[in-house]
Amino acid sequence: MKFIIGIGGVTNGGKTTLTNKLMQALPNCCAIHQDDFYKKPDQIEVGEDGFRQWDVITSLEMEAMVNTIKGWQENPVKFARSHGVSLTPKADELDPDNRIHILIVEGFLLYNYMPILDVYDQRYYISIPKDECKRRRSTRTYMVPDPPGLFEGHVWPMYLKHRKEMEYNCQSIEYLDGLKSKEDIYYQVFERIQNRLLKHL
């Protein structure tokens, strides 16, 4: 059985933290991070807002991401081994026969790219308010540092635009409150996944 979970959300909302916690808890679990598919900085266009357009779908090599997801779908065992993920060596209460393979796809524009909209068995989206998002982002160190005014001038406006698009295109998303503790968010999602898997075993 193959099971794909989408974890989308606002920048600095806690997507990677949640993904890492789930990977440790779920059997035969791999992850694909949308951030790994960014184009090189010199390939990112400068928009009308005067900023390099990091927060739009064209800044990402989405075809490569789709192909990576397909690679997992075709052979999750081979995919796991080639990505250094050890498969569950012992019987697991969720998967006593070692038949489940789980993929977590994590990123900020997961539900804005139509070719992969239908691959997810469950879709989650973490939201936090603007002030908290700005505060968290200011404490992060990026490979390409944020220029002054990027958050107000590009990051947040693009988030609002894409969230509206996403809500129009995809209704079956479970929204998570990113202000809750990391543990609470994790347990909420883990329980949902567990219930869904147990129904299919």
Side-chain angles (χ1 to χ4, degrees):
M1 176 189 167
K2 297 172 197 164
F3 193 72
I4 302 182
I5 301 157
I7 297 180
V10 65
T11 177
N12 294 281
K15 302 180 294 297
T16 306
T17 301
L18 175 58
T19 298
N20 291 340
K21 286 176 86 67
L22 290 169
M23 275 189 75
Q24 290 170 5
L26 294 168
N28 301 331
C29 186
C30 293
I32 292 172
H33 302 276
Q34 194 172 33
D35 282 358
D36 291 342
F37 295 90
Y38 266 117
K39 294 176 181 174
K40 292 175 181 167
D42 61 359
Q43 294 177 290
I44 307 293
E45 294 176 10
V46 175
E48 290 176 11
D49 56 18
F51 296 107
R52 285 200 184 273
Q53 303 294 288
W54 290 103
D55 288 59
V56 298
I57 205 83
T58 51
S59 69
L60 298 151
E61 300 280 7
M62 288 305 296
E63 281 187 28
M65 183 169 157
V66 171
N67 289 335
T68 306
I69 293 171
K70 284 180 181 171
W72 179 87
Q73 288 174 312
E74 284 163 17
N75 192 332
V77 174
K78 184 180 174 186
F79 183 96
R81 288 188 180 133
S82 70
H83 286 75
V85 175
S86 55
L87 299 172
T88 308
K90 60 187 190 304
D92 183 282
E93 62 181 37
L94 264 181
D95 185 19
D97 302 321
N98 221 25
R99 288 182 298 121
I100 296 171
H101 290 275
I102 298 169
L103 178 67
I104 299 174
V105 185
E106 174 263 310
F108 72 110
L109 286 178
L110 290 193
Y111 313 125
N112 295 79
Y113 191 67
M114 300 310 277
I116 53 170
L117 202 54
D118 294 331
V119 302
Y120 307 107
D121 295 290
Q122 288 185 336
R123 299 177 187 88
Y124 297 96
Y125 192 90
I126 305 175
S127 300
I128 52 175
K130 181 181 178 182
D131 289 349
E132 176 63 10
C133 185
K134 188 175 183 178
R135 186 192 69 75
R136 291 187 192 180
R137 187 159 178 124
S138 69
T139 65
R140 287 275 295 274
T141 305
Y142 290 94
M143 192 174 70
V144 180
D146 283 357
L150 182 75
F151 183 85
E152 295 286 352
H154 176 66
V155 173
W156 194 255
M158 287 297 109
Y159 161 68
L160 295 176
K161 176 178 181 278
H162 291 128
R163 174 147 179 174
K164 198 172 177 182
E165 270 177 23
M166 175 189 79
E167 288 170 349
Y168 179 78
N169 290 326
C170 188
Q171 274 74 51
S172 56
I173 296 172
E174 182 168 347
Y175 292 91
L176 305 168
D177 179 359
L179 292 179
K180 285 184 175 177
S181 75
K182 291 170 185 175
E183 291 297 318
D184 284 351
I185 295 169
Y186 160 72
Y187 283 119
Q188 181 182 345
V189 174
F190 181 74
E191 193 176 309
R192 295 274 199 287
I193 295 168
Q194 195 173 30
N195 290 342
R196 179 78 178 266
L197 293 175
L198 291 172
K199 279 181 191 171
H200 286 80
L201 286 176

